[in-house]
Amino acid sequence: MAVTRTFSIIKPDATRRNLTGAVTKMLEDAGLRVIASKRIQMTREQAEGFYAVHKERPFFGDLVTFMTSGPVVVQVLEGEDAVARNRKVMGATNPSDAEEGTIRKTYAESIEANSVHGSDSEENAATEIDFFFDKDEIVG
Ligand code: CMP
C-alpha cells in the first residue's frame, strides 16, 4: 500500500485538557508519522475558510466559534494509506457512535468538541495541508 499524507487538527477541547501528547501518541501508535506540526490560534477568517464546505449547515456558526475558542495543533501525517488510517483511529464524528479504542471514543466530549479533525479524501488532504502549511514546514 502506498505511503500518503493526510491533514489533522487537534481541536480546542483537547488542547484545553492538555491532551496534545496523548492524541499524538494514538496517531503514532496507529502507524502515522507527524511530518509537520504547529500550535496556532485560528482566526475567524481561517476557520470560516477552512470549513467553507459546511457554510450552509445549521452548526456552522457554532463550529467556527468553537474552533477559534482556544489553540489548535495542525499537523501533517504520513503513513500507509494515511487518510483511511487516520479516520480509523479518530473514530466516528459523533463520539457516541465511535468504536472503543478510537481517539474520539477515548477523549471527545461531544459531536462539536470531538477532539480531532482528519481529512476525508486524499484530494481534500492536499487542499487542507496547503491551507495551513508552506512546503518548507513539512519535513518527511
Ligand atoms: P470535522 O471533522 O472537524 O468537520 C466538521 C465538524 O463539524 C465535525 O468534525 C464536527 O465536529 C462538527 N459538527 C458540529 N455539529 C455537527 C453535526 N450536527 N453534524 C456533523 N458535524 C458537526
Side-chain angles (χ1 to χ4, degrees), residues 6-15 23 27 38 40 42 47 50-51 67 71-77 86 90 103-104 114-119 128 131-133:
T6 191
F7 174 75
S8 168
I9 305 177
I10 302 176
K11 296 188 179 185
D13 65 285
T15 61
V23 169
L27 297 171
K38 58 187 174 187
I40 61 167
M42 242 193 244
F50 181 76
Y51 281 120
M67 291 300 288
V72 300
V73 178
V74 291
Q75 297 178 319
V76 182
L77 308 176
N86 185 38
M90 282 196 304
I103 294 169
R104 284 167 169 162
N114 66 352
S115 301
V116 280
H117 163 84
S119 310
E128 292 176 358
F131 192 90
F132 284 106
F133 288 97

PDB file of all heavy atoms in Angstrom, residues 6-15 23 27 38 40 42 47 50-51 67 71-77 86 90 103-104 114-119 128 131-133:
ATOM      1  N   THR A   6      -1.980  12.936   5.136  1.00  0.00           N
ATOM      2  CA  THR A   6      -3.282  13.484   5.487  1.00  0.00           C
ATOM      3  C   THR A   6      -3.081  14.665   6.424  1.00  0.00           C
ATOM      4  O   THR A   6      -1.963  14.931   6.884  1.00  0.00           O
ATOM      5  CB  THR A   6      -4.211  12.412   6.110  1.00  0.00           C
ATOM      6  OG1 THR A   6      -5.540  12.932   6.192  1.00  0.00           O
ATOM      7  CG2 THR A   6      -3.740  11.976   7.491  1.00  0.00           C
ATOM      8  N   PHE A   7      -4.160  15.388   6.650  1.00  0.00           N
ATOM      9  CA  PHE A   7      -4.112  16.580   7.492  1.00  0.00           C
ATOM     10  C   PHE A   7      -4.945  16.337   8.745  1.00  0.00           C
ATOM     11  O   PHE A   7      -6.035  15.757   8.668  1.00  0.00           O
ATOM     12  CB  PHE A   7      -4.666  17.781   6.707  1.00  0.00           C
ATOM     13  CG  PHE A   7      -4.787  19.020   7.531  1.00  0.00           C
ATOM     14  CD1 PHE A   7      -3.658  19.761   7.865  1.00  0.00           C
ATOM     15  CD2 PHE A   7      -6.016  19.444   7.998  1.00  0.00           C
ATOM     16  CE1 PHE A   7      -3.767  20.904   8.646  1.00  0.00           C
ATOM     17  CE2 PHE A   7      -6.140  20.580   8.768  1.00  0.00           C
ATOM     18  CZ  PHE A   7      -5.005  21.311   9.094  1.00  0.00           C
ATOM     19  N   SER A   8      -4.421  16.786   9.881  1.00  0.00           N
ATOM     20  CA  SER A   8      -5.087  16.575  11.171  1.00  0.00           C
ATOM     21  C   SER A   8      -5.130  17.868  11.969  1.00  0.00           C
ATOM     22  O   SER A   8      -4.208  18.687  11.883  1.00  0.00           O
ATOM     23  CB  SER A   8      -4.297  15.508  11.948  1.00  0.00           C
ATOM     24  OG  SER A   8      -4.711  15.458  13.294  1.00  0.00           O
ATOM     25  N   ILE A   9      -6.200  18.044  12.736  1.00  0.00           N
ATOM     26  CA  ILE A   9      -6.252  19.134  13.719  1.00  0.00           C
ATOM     27  C   ILE A   9      -6.568  18.538  15.087  1.00  0.00           C
ATOM     28  O   ILE A   9      -7.535  17.774  15.212  1.00  0.00           O
ATOM     29  CB  ILE A   9      -7.341  20.179  13.399  1.00  0.00           C
ATOM     30  CG1 ILE A   9      -7.191  20.747  11.986  1.00  0.00           C
ATOM     31  CG2 ILE A   9      -7.296  21.316  14.432  1.00  0.00           C
ATOM     32  CD1 ILE A   9      -8.298  21.746  11.603  1.00  0.00           C
ATOM     33  N   ILE A  10      -5.754  18.871  16.078  1.00  0.00           N
ATOM     34  CA  ILE A  10      -6.105  18.587  17.473  1.00  0.00           C
ATOM     35  C   ILE A  10      -6.878  19.819  17.953  1.00  0.00           C
ATOM     36  O   ILE A  10      -6.353  20.934  17.952  1.00  0.00           O
ATOM     37  CB  ILE A  10      -4.852  18.301  18.327  1.00  0.00           C
ATOM     38  CG1 ILE A  10      -4.080  17.110  17.732  1.00  0.00           C
ATOM     39  CG2 ILE A  10      -5.254  18.020  19.774  1.00  0.00           C
ATOM     40  CD1 ILE A  10      -2.767  16.793  18.441  1.00  0.00           C
ATOM     41  N   LYS A  11      -8.153  19.614  18.276  1.00  0.00           N
ATOM     42  CA  LYS A  11      -9.093  20.727  18.461  1.00  0.00           C
ATOM     43  C   LYS A  11      -8.993  21.355  19.856  1.00  0.00           C
ATOM     44  O   LYS A  11      -8.386  20.789  20.765  1.00  0.00           O
ATOM     45  CB  LYS A  11     -10.513  20.220  18.187  1.00  0.00           C
ATOM     46  CG  LYS A  11     -10.734  19.767  16.734  1.00  0.00           C
ATOM     47  CD  LYS A  11     -12.207  19.454  16.476  1.00  0.00           C
ATOM     48  CE  LYS A  11     -12.436  19.032  15.036  1.00  0.00           C
ATOM     49  NZ  LYS A  11     -13.877  18.849  14.736  1.00  0.00           N
ATOM     50  N   PRO A  12      -9.644  22.538  20.040  1.00  0.00           N
ATOM     51  CA  PRO A  12      -9.515  23.268  21.307  1.00  0.00           C
ATOM     52  C   PRO A  12      -9.930  22.480  22.554  1.00  0.00           C
ATOM     53  O   PRO A  12      -9.354  22.687  23.624  1.00  0.00           O
ATOM     54  CB  PRO A  12     -10.436  24.484  21.113  1.00  0.00           C
ATOM     55  CG  PRO A  12     -10.449  24.708  19.642  1.00  0.00           C
ATOM     56  CD  PRO A  12     -10.389  23.337  19.030  1.00  0.00           C
ATOM     57  N   ASP A  13     -10.904  21.575  22.431  1.00  0.00           N
ATOM     58  CA  ASP A  13     -11.295  20.820  23.646  1.00  0.00           C
ATOM     59  C   ASP A  13     -10.141  19.946  24.124  1.00  0.00           C
ATOM     60  O   ASP A  13      -9.971  19.720  25.324  1.00  0.00           O
ATOM     61  CB  ASP A  13     -12.539  19.963  23.389  1.00  0.00           C
ATOM     62  CG  ASP A  13     -12.301  18.853  22.372  1.00  0.00           C
ATOM     63  OD1 ASP A  13     -12.233  19.155  21.166  1.00  0.00           O
ATOM     64  OD2 ASP A  13     -12.148  17.686  22.784  1.00  0.00           O
ATOM     65  N   ALA A  14      -9.325  19.458  23.176  1.00  0.00           N
ATOM     66  CA  ALA A  14      -8.197  18.586  23.527  1.00  0.00           C
ATOM     67  C   ALA A  14      -6.993  19.389  24.011  1.00  0.00           C
ATOM     68  O   ALA A  14      -6.355  19.021  25.001  1.00  0.00           O
ATOM     69  CB  ALA A  14      -7.827  17.712  22.333  1.00  0.00           C
ATOM     70  N   THR A  15      -6.691  20.513  23.341  1.00  0.00           N
ATOM     71  CA  THR A  15      -5.539  21.315  23.810  1.00  0.00           C
ATOM     72  C   THR A  15      -5.834  21.878  25.199  1.00  0.00           C
ATOM     73  O   THR A  15      -4.952  21.943  26.049  1.00  0.00           O
ATOM     74  CB  THR A  15      -5.188  22.467  22.834  1.00  0.00           C
ATOM     75  OG1 THR A  15      -6.291  23.357  22.717  1.00  0.00           O
ATOM     76  CG2 THR A  15      -4.799  21.936  21.465  1.00  0.00           C
ATOM     77  N   VAL A  23      -3.073  12.494  22.318  1.00  0.00           N
ATOM     78  CA  VAL A  23      -3.693  12.292  20.998  1.00  0.00           C
ATOM     79  C   VAL A  23      -2.619  11.931  19.973  1.00  0.00           C
ATOM     80  O   VAL A  23      -2.787  11.011  19.165  1.00  0.00           O
ATOM     81  CB  VAL A  23      -4.496  13.546  20.566  1.00  0.00           C
ATOM     82  CG1 VAL A  23      -4.918  13.446  19.106  1.00  0.00           C
ATOM     83  CG2 VAL A  23      -5.711  13.734  21.465  1.00  0.00           C
ATOM     84  N   LEU A  27      -2.092   8.645  17.412  1.00  0.00           N
ATOM     85  CA  LEU A  27      -1.843   8.730  15.963  1.00  0.00           C
ATOM     86  C   LEU A  27      -0.590   7.943  15.602  1.00  0.00           C
ATOM     87  O   LEU A  27      -0.580   7.152  14.641  1.00  0.00           O
ATOM     88  CB  LEU A  27      -1.685  10.196  15.533  1.00  0.00           C
ATOM     89  CG  LEU A  27      -2.910  11.101  15.728  1.00  0.00           C
ATOM     90  CD1 LEU A  27      -2.535  12.559  15.481  1.00  0.00           C
ATOM     91  CD2 LEU A  27      -4.050  10.680  14.799  1.00  0.00           C
ATOM     92  N   LYS A  38       2.193  22.417  14.118  1.00  0.00           N
ATOM     93  CA  LYS A  38       2.304  23.730  14.774  1.00  0.00           C
ATOM     94  C   LYS A  38       1.029  24.041  15.558  1.00  0.00           C
ATOM     95  O   LYS A  38      -0.068  23.670  15.148  1.00  0.00           O
ATOM     96  CB  LYS A  38       2.647  24.836  13.781  1.00  0.00           C
ATOM     97  CG  LYS A  38       1.702  25.036  12.643  1.00  0.00           C
ATOM     98  CD  LYS A  38       2.278  26.061  11.646  1.00  0.00           C
ATOM     99  CE  LYS A  38       1.387  26.154  10.423  1.00  0.00           C
ATOM    100  NZ  LYS A  38       1.978  26.993   9.364  1.00  0.00           N
ATOM    101  N   ILE A  40      -1.475  26.757  16.825  1.00  0.00           N
ATOM    102  CA  ILE A  40      -1.900  28.089  16.373  1.00  0.00           C
ATOM    103  C   ILE A  40      -3.225  28.472  17.026  1.00  0.00           C
ATOM    104  O   ILE A  40      -3.982  27.598  17.478  1.00  0.00           O
ATOM    105  CB  ILE A  40      -2.084  28.142  14.832  1.00  0.00           C
ATOM    106  CG1 ILE A  40      -3.169  27.147  14.366  1.00  0.00           C
ATOM    107  CG2 ILE A  40      -0.762  27.888  14.106  1.00  0.00           C
ATOM    108  CD1 ILE A  40      -3.624  27.358  12.939  1.00  0.00           C
ATOM    109  N   MET A  42      -6.471  29.811  15.687  1.00  0.00           N
ATOM    110  CA  MET A  42      -7.133  30.063  14.400  1.00  0.00           C
ATOM    111  C   MET A  42      -7.920  31.366  14.460  1.00  0.00           C
ATOM    112  O   MET A  42      -8.593  31.628  15.461  1.00  0.00           O
ATOM    113  CB  MET A  42      -8.113  28.926  14.099  1.00  0.00           C
ATOM    114  CG  MET A  42      -7.776  28.151  12.865  1.00  0.00           C
ATOM    115  SD  MET A  42      -9.147  27.094  12.386  1.00  0.00           S
ATOM    116  CE  MET A  42      -8.380  25.521  12.590  1.00  0.00           C
ATOM    117  N   ALA A  47     -10.986  29.899  10.147  1.00  0.00           N
ATOM    118  CA  ALA A  47     -11.947  28.832  10.453  1.00  0.00           C
ATOM    119  C   ALA A  47     -13.089  28.840   9.428  1.00  0.00           C
ATOM    120  O   ALA A  47     -13.515  27.779   8.944  1.00  0.00           O
ATOM    121  CB  ALA A  47     -12.491  28.996  11.869  1.00  0.00           C
ATOM    122  N   PHE A  50     -11.585  27.457   6.178  1.00  0.00           N
ATOM    123  CA  PHE A  50     -11.288  26.031   6.259  1.00  0.00           C
ATOM    124  C   PHE A  50     -12.569  25.203   6.180  1.00  0.00           C
ATOM    125  O   PHE A  50     -12.607  24.150   5.531  1.00  0.00           O
ATOM    126  CB  PHE A  50     -10.539  25.725   7.567  1.00  0.00           C
ATOM    127  CG  PHE A  50     -10.176  24.290   7.703  1.00  0.00           C
ATOM    128  CD1 PHE A  50      -9.109  23.772   6.976  1.00  0.00           C
ATOM    129  CD2 PHE A  50     -10.897  23.440   8.517  1.00  0.00           C
ATOM    130  CE1 PHE A  50      -8.772  22.421   7.063  1.00  0.00           C
ATOM    131  CE2 PHE A  50     -10.571  22.099   8.615  1.00  0.00           C
ATOM    132  CZ  PHE A  50      -9.516  21.589   7.891  1.00  0.00           C
ATOM    133  N   TYR A  51     -13.616  25.665   6.863  1.00  0.00           N
ATOM    134  CA  TYR A  51     -14.872  24.898   6.928  1.00  0.00           C
ATOM    135  C   TYR A  51     -15.919  25.421   5.930  1.00  0.00           C
ATOM    136  O   TYR A  51     -17.116  25.196   6.127  1.00  0.00           O
ATOM    137  CB  TYR A  51     -15.437  24.932   8.346  1.00  0.00           C
ATOM    138  CG  TYR A  51     -14.752  23.956   9.294  1.00  0.00           C
ATOM    139  CD1 TYR A  51     -14.106  24.395  10.442  1.00  0.00           C
ATOM    140  CD2 TYR A  51     -14.786  22.588   9.059  1.00  0.00           C
ATOM    141  CE1 TYR A  51     -13.501  23.496  11.317  1.00  0.00           C
ATOM    142  CE2 TYR A  51     -14.185  21.682   9.923  1.00  0.00           C
ATOM    143  CZ  TYR A  51     -13.550  22.138  11.046  1.00  0.00           C
ATOM    144  OH  TYR A  51     -12.965  21.245  11.917  1.00  0.00           O
ATOM    145  N   MET A  67     -13.969  26.415  17.089  1.00  0.00           N
ATOM    146  CA  MET A  67     -12.605  26.204  16.568  1.00  0.00           C
ATOM    147  C   MET A  67     -11.686  27.403  16.821  1.00  0.00           C
ATOM    148  O   MET A  67     -10.472  27.275  16.707  1.00  0.00           O
ATOM    149  CB  MET A  67     -12.650  25.869  15.069  1.00  0.00           C
ATOM    150  CG  MET A  67     -13.245  24.505  14.769  1.00  0.00           C
ATOM    151  SD  MET A  67     -12.359  23.122  15.527  1.00  0.00           S
ATOM    152  CE  MET A  67     -10.856  23.087  14.542  1.00  0.00           C
ATOM    153  N   PRO A  71      -6.366  27.399  21.399  1.00  0.00           N
ATOM    154  CA  PRO A  71      -5.360  26.921  20.449  1.00  0.00           C
ATOM    155  C   PRO A  71      -5.731  25.574  19.835  1.00  0.00           C
ATOM    156  O   PRO A  71      -6.420  24.761  20.466  1.00  0.00           O
ATOM    157  CB  PRO A  71      -4.095  26.768  21.301  1.00  0.00           C
ATOM    158  CG  PRO A  71      -4.399  27.298  22.642  1.00  0.00           C
ATOM    159  CD  PRO A  71      -5.865  27.503  22.767  1.00  0.00           C
ATOM    160  N   VAL A  72      -5.261  25.368  18.610  1.00  0.00           N
ATOM    161  CA  VAL A  72      -5.363  24.054  17.963  1.00  0.00           C
ATOM    162  C   VAL A  72      -3.951  23.664  17.520  1.00  0.00           C
ATOM    163  O   VAL A  72      -3.073  24.517  17.418  1.00  0.00           O
ATOM    164  CB  VAL A  72      -6.302  24.063  16.729  1.00  0.00           C
ATOM    165  CG1 VAL A  72      -7.721  24.468  17.119  1.00  0.00           C
ATOM    166  CG2 VAL A  72      -5.768  24.967  15.622  1.00  0.00           C
ATOM    167  N   VAL A  73      -3.759  22.369  17.279  1.00  0.00           N
ATOM    168  CA  VAL A  73      -2.484  21.907  16.724  1.00  0.00           C
ATOM    169  C   VAL A  73      -2.781  21.307  15.347  1.00  0.00           C
ATOM    170  O   VAL A  73      -3.522  20.316  15.238  1.00  0.00           O
ATOM    171  CB  VAL A  73      -1.805  20.862  17.635  1.00  0.00           C
ATOM    172  CG1 VAL A  73      -0.502  20.374  17.007  1.00  0.00           C
ATOM    173  CG2 VAL A  73      -1.523  21.477  19.011  1.00  0.00           C
ATOM    174  N   VAL A  74      -2.247  21.976  14.320  1.00  0.00           N
ATOM    175  CA  VAL A  74      -2.434  21.464  12.950  1.00  0.00           C
ATOM    176  C   VAL A  74      -1.226  20.595  12.610  1.00  0.00           C
ATOM    177  O   VAL A  74      -0.092  20.932  12.963  1.00  0.00           O
ATOM    178  CB  VAL A  74      -2.631  22.610  11.930  1.00  0.00           C
ATOM    179  CG1 VAL A  74      -3.974  23.287  12.148  1.00  0.00           C
ATOM    180  CG2 VAL A  74      -1.509  23.636  11.973  1.00  0.00           C
ATOM    181  N   GLN A  75      -1.494  19.464  11.948  1.00  0.00           N
ATOM    182  CA  GLN A  75      -0.424  18.507  11.673  1.00  0.00           C
ATOM    183  C   GLN A  75      -0.574  17.907  10.278  1.00  0.00           C
ATOM    184  O   GLN A  75      -1.691  17.751   9.778  1.00  0.00           O
ATOM    185  CB  GLN A  75      -0.469  17.348  12.684  1.00  0.00           C
ATOM    186  CG  GLN A  75      -0.226  17.776  14.123  1.00  0.00           C
ATOM    187  CD  GLN A  75      -0.319  16.619  15.111  1.00  0.00           C
ATOM    188  OE1 GLN A  75      -1.204  15.771  14.982  1.00  0.00           O
ATOM    189  NE2 GLN A  75       0.568  16.580  16.086  1.00  0.00           N
ATOM    190  N   VAL A  76       0.557  17.562   9.691  1.00  0.00           N
ATOM    191  CA  VAL A  76       0.564  16.713   8.507  1.00  0.00           C
ATOM    192  C   VAL A  76       1.042  15.339   8.956  1.00  0.00           C
ATOM    193  O   VAL A  76       2.061  15.226   9.645  1.00  0.00           O
ATOM    194  CB  VAL A  76       1.495  17.261   7.405  1.00  0.00           C
ATOM    195  CG1 VAL A  76       1.429  16.366   6.168  1.00  0.00           C
ATOM    196  CG2 VAL A  76       1.122  18.696   7.048  1.00  0.00           C
ATOM    197  N   LEU A  77       0.279  14.327   8.604  1.00  0.00           N
ATOM    198  CA  LEU A  77       0.592  12.948   8.995  1.00  0.00           C
ATOM    199  C   LEU A  77       0.914  12.136   7.750  1.00  0.00           C
ATOM    200  O   LEU A  77       0.249  12.292   6.712  1.00  0.00           O
ATOM    201  CB  LEU A  77      -0.615  12.307   9.701  1.00  0.00           C
ATOM    202  CG  LEU A  77      -1.226  13.084  10.870  1.00  0.00           C
ATOM    203  CD1 LEU A  77      -2.468  12.361  11.393  1.00  0.00           C
ATOM    204  CD2 LEU A  77      -0.202  13.266  11.983  1.00  0.00           C
ATOM    205  N   ASN A  86      -5.962   7.314   9.420  1.00  0.00           N
ATOM    206  CA  ASN A  86      -6.277   8.366  10.403  1.00  0.00           C
ATOM    207  C   ASN A  86      -7.756   8.353  10.759  1.00  0.00           C
ATOM    208  O   ASN A  86      -8.123   8.482  11.929  1.00  0.00           O
ATOM    209  CB  ASN A  86      -5.869   9.730   9.838  1.00  0.00           C
ATOM    210  CG  ASN A  86      -6.053  10.840  10.851  1.00  0.00           C
ATOM    211  OD1 ASN A  86      -5.806  10.650  12.033  1.00  0.00           O
ATOM    212  ND2 ASN A  86      -6.509  11.984  10.394  1.00  0.00           N
ATOM    213  N   MET A  90      -9.303   7.921  14.469  1.00  0.00           N
ATOM    214  CA  MET A  90     -10.132   9.014  15.013  1.00  0.00           C
ATOM    215  C   MET A  90     -11.464   8.485  15.523  1.00  0.00           C
ATOM    216  O   MET A  90     -11.958   8.928  16.545  1.00  0.00           O
ATOM    217  CB  MET A  90     -10.436  10.056  13.917  1.00  0.00           C
ATOM    218  CG  MET A  90      -9.310  10.997  13.602  1.00  0.00           C
ATOM    219  SD  MET A  90      -9.906  12.423  12.678  1.00  0.00           S
ATOM    220  CE  MET A  90     -10.696  11.658  11.291  1.00  0.00           C
ATOM    221  N   ILE A 103      -9.714   7.659  19.114  1.00  0.00           N
ATOM    222  CA  ILE A 103      -9.437   8.931  19.795  1.00  0.00           C
ATOM    223  C   ILE A 103     -10.737   9.577  20.268  1.00  0.00           C
ATOM    224  O   ILE A 103     -10.834  10.045  21.410  1.00  0.00           O
ATOM    225  CB  ILE A 103      -8.668   9.883  18.841  1.00  0.00           C
ATOM    226  CG1 ILE A 103      -7.282   9.313  18.534  1.00  0.00           C
ATOM    227  CG2 ILE A 103      -8.568  11.290  19.439  1.00  0.00           C
ATOM    228  CD1 ILE A 103      -6.536  10.033  17.404  1.00  0.00           C
ATOM    229  N   ARG A 104     -11.743   9.582  19.397  1.00  0.00           N
ATOM    230  CA  ARG A 104     -12.984  10.270  19.781  1.00  0.00           C
ATOM    231  C   ARG A 104     -13.727   9.517  20.884  1.00  0.00           C
ATOM    232  O   ARG A 104     -14.310  10.145  21.777  1.00  0.00           O
ATOM    233  CB  ARG A 104     -13.859  10.489  18.549  1.00  0.00           C
ATOM    234  CG  ARG A 104     -13.309  11.641  17.678  1.00  0.00           C
ATOM    235  CD  ARG A 104     -13.952  11.664  16.340  1.00  0.00           C
ATOM    236  NE  ARG A 104     -13.657  12.879  15.584  1.00  0.00           N
ATOM    237  CZ  ARG A 104     -13.819  12.982  14.285  1.00  0.00           C
ATOM    238  NH1 ARG A 104     -14.262  11.949  13.578  1.00  0.00           N
ATOM    239  NH2 ARG A 104     -13.548  14.116  13.663  1.00  0.00           N
ATOM    240  N   ASN A 114     -15.091  17.351  19.435  1.00  0.00           N
ATOM    241  CA  ASN A 114     -14.752  15.941  19.182  1.00  0.00           C
ATOM    242  C   ASN A 114     -13.248  15.716  18.977  1.00  0.00           C
ATOM    243  O   ASN A 114     -12.835  14.765  18.318  1.00  0.00           O
ATOM    244  CB  ASN A 114     -15.600  15.365  18.043  1.00  0.00           C
ATOM    245  CG  ASN A 114     -15.307  15.996  16.698  1.00  0.00           C
ATOM    246  OD1 ASN A 114     -14.568  16.982  16.614  1.00  0.00           O
ATOM    247  ND2 ASN A 114     -15.870  15.448  15.642  1.00  0.00           N
ATOM    248  N   SER A 115     -12.467  16.600  19.574  1.00  0.00           N
ATOM    249  CA  SER A 115     -11.015  16.414  19.796  1.00  0.00           C
ATOM    250  C   SER A 115     -10.113  16.451  18.569  1.00  0.00           C
ATOM    251  O   SER A 115      -8.986  16.929  18.656  1.00  0.00           O
ATOM    252  CB  SER A 115     -10.730  15.124  20.589  1.00  0.00           C
ATOM    253  OG  SER A 115     -11.372  15.171  21.835  1.00  0.00           O
ATOM    254  N   VAL A 116     -10.561  15.895  17.440  1.00  0.00           N
ATOM    255  CA  VAL A 116      -9.716  15.856  16.252  1.00  0.00           C
ATOM    256  C   VAL A 116     -10.517  16.059  14.971  1.00  0.00           C
ATOM    257  O   VAL A 116     -11.696  15.715  14.898  1.00  0.00           O
ATOM    258  CB  VAL A 116      -8.952  14.501  16.113  1.00  0.00           C
ATOM    259  CG1 VAL A 116      -7.724  14.460  16.994  1.00  0.00           C
ATOM    260  CG2 VAL A 116      -9.858  13.315  16.366  1.00  0.00           C
ATOM    261  N   HIS A 117      -9.827  16.613  13.987  1.00  0.00           N
ATOM    262  CA  HIS A 117     -10.331  16.639  12.606  1.00  0.00           C
ATOM    263  C   HIS A 117      -9.352  15.852  11.758  1.00  0.00           C
ATOM    264  O   HIS A 117      -8.143  15.890  11.999  1.00  0.00           O
ATOM    265  CB  HIS A 117     -10.401  18.076  12.067  1.00  0.00           C
ATOM    266  CG  HIS A 117     -10.515  18.126  10.564  1.00  0.00           C
ATOM    267  ND1 HIS A 117     -11.721  18.000   9.925  1.00  0.00           N
ATOM    268  CD2 HIS A 117      -9.568  18.227   9.592  1.00  0.00           C
ATOM    269  CE1 HIS A 117     -11.510  18.034   8.607  1.00  0.00           C
ATOM    270  NE2 HIS A 117     -10.212  18.170   8.384  1.00  0.00           N
ATOM    271  N   GLY A 118      -9.854  15.150  10.748  1.00  0.00           N
ATOM    272  CA  GLY A 118      -8.979  14.494   9.780  1.00  0.00           C
ATOM    273  C   GLY A 118      -9.587  14.585   8.396  1.00  0.00           C
ATOM    274  O   GLY A 118     -10.815  14.520   8.235  1.00  0.00           O
ATOM    275  N   SER A 119      -8.735  14.732   7.388  1.00  0.00           N
ATOM    276  CA  SER A 119      -9.220  14.850   6.007  1.00  0.00           C
ATOM    277  C   SER A 119     -10.028  13.617   5.619  1.00  0.00           C
ATOM    278  O   SER A 119      -9.735  12.509   6.055  1.00  0.00           O
ATOM    279  CB  SER A 119      -8.048  14.978   5.040  1.00  0.00           C
ATOM    280  OG  SER A 119      -7.166  15.972   5.462  1.00  0.00           O
ATOM    281  N   GLU A 128      -6.186  20.877   2.300  1.00  0.00           N
ATOM    282  CA  GLU A 128      -6.132  21.290   3.710  1.00  0.00           C
ATOM    283  C   GLU A 128      -4.679  21.511   4.169  1.00  0.00           C
ATOM    284  O   GLU A 128      -4.402  22.428   4.937  1.00  0.00           O
ATOM    285  CB  GLU A 128      -6.845  20.242   4.574  1.00  0.00           C
ATOM    286  CG  GLU A 128      -8.337  20.216   4.307  1.00  0.00           C
ATOM    287  CD  GLU A 128      -9.106  19.144   5.062  1.00  0.00           C
ATOM    288  OE1 GLU A 128      -8.486  18.346   5.800  1.00  0.00           O
ATOM    289  OE2 GLU A 128     -10.338  19.109   4.913  1.00  0.00           O
ATOM    290  N   PHE A 131      -3.604  24.767   2.937  1.00  0.00           N
ATOM    291  CA  PHE A 131      -4.287  25.862   3.637  1.00  0.00           C
ATOM    292  C   PHE A 131      -3.462  26.336   4.838  1.00  0.00           C
ATOM    293  O   PHE A 131      -3.434  27.518   5.150  1.00  0.00           O
ATOM    294  CB  PHE A 131      -5.675  25.389   4.090  1.00  0.00           C
ATOM    295  CG  PHE A 131      -6.589  26.484   4.565  1.00  0.00           C
ATOM    296  CD1 PHE A 131      -7.442  27.139   3.684  1.00  0.00           C
ATOM    297  CD2 PHE A 131      -6.611  26.863   5.903  1.00  0.00           C
ATOM    298  CE1 PHE A 131      -8.283  28.151   4.125  1.00  0.00           C
ATOM    299  CE2 PHE A 131      -7.443  27.878   6.357  1.00  0.00           C
ATOM    300  CZ  PHE A 131      -8.286  28.518   5.459  1.00  0.00           C
ATOM    301  N   PHE A 132      -2.783  25.415   5.524  1.00  0.00           N
ATOM    302  CA  PHE A 132      -2.085  25.767   6.771  1.00  0.00           C
ATOM    303  C   PHE A 132      -0.561  25.703   6.701  1.00  0.00           C
ATOM    304  O   PHE A 132       0.099  26.247   7.585  1.00  0.00           O
ATOM    305  CB  PHE A 132      -2.554  24.860   7.913  1.00  0.00           C
ATOM    306  CG  PHE A 132      -3.918  25.233   8.449  1.00  0.00           C
ATOM    307  CD1 PHE A 132      -5.029  24.462   8.161  1.00  0.00           C
ATOM    308  CD2 PHE A 132      -4.078  26.379   9.221  1.00  0.00           C
ATOM    309  CE1 PHE A 132      -6.283  24.817   8.645  1.00  0.00           C
ATOM    310  CE2 PHE A 132      -5.326  26.735   9.707  1.00  0.00           C
ATOM    311  CZ  PHE A 132      -6.432  25.953   9.420  1.00  0.00           C
ATOM    312  N   PHE A 133      -0.006  25.026   5.716  1.00  0.00           N
ATOM    313  CA  PHE A 133       1.446  24.823   5.725  1.00  0.00           C
ATOM    314  C   PHE A 133       2.113  25.295   4.437  1.00  0.00           C
ATOM    315  O   PHE A 133       1.608  25.067   3.342  1.00  0.00           O
ATOM    316  CB  PHE A 133       1.780  23.338   5.922  1.00  0.00           C
ATOM    317  CG  PHE A 133       1.521  22.837   7.323  1.00  0.00           C
ATOM    318  CD1 PHE A 133       0.341  22.175   7.637  1.00  0.00           C
ATOM    319  CD2 PHE A 133       2.464  23.047   8.335  1.00  0.00           C
ATOM    320  CE1 PHE A 133       0.090  21.720   8.924  1.00  0.00           C
ATOM    321  CE2 PHE A 133       2.227  22.593   9.625  1.00  0.00           C
ATOM    322  CZ  PHE A 133       1.034  21.933   9.921  1.00  0.00           C
TER     323      PHE A 133
END
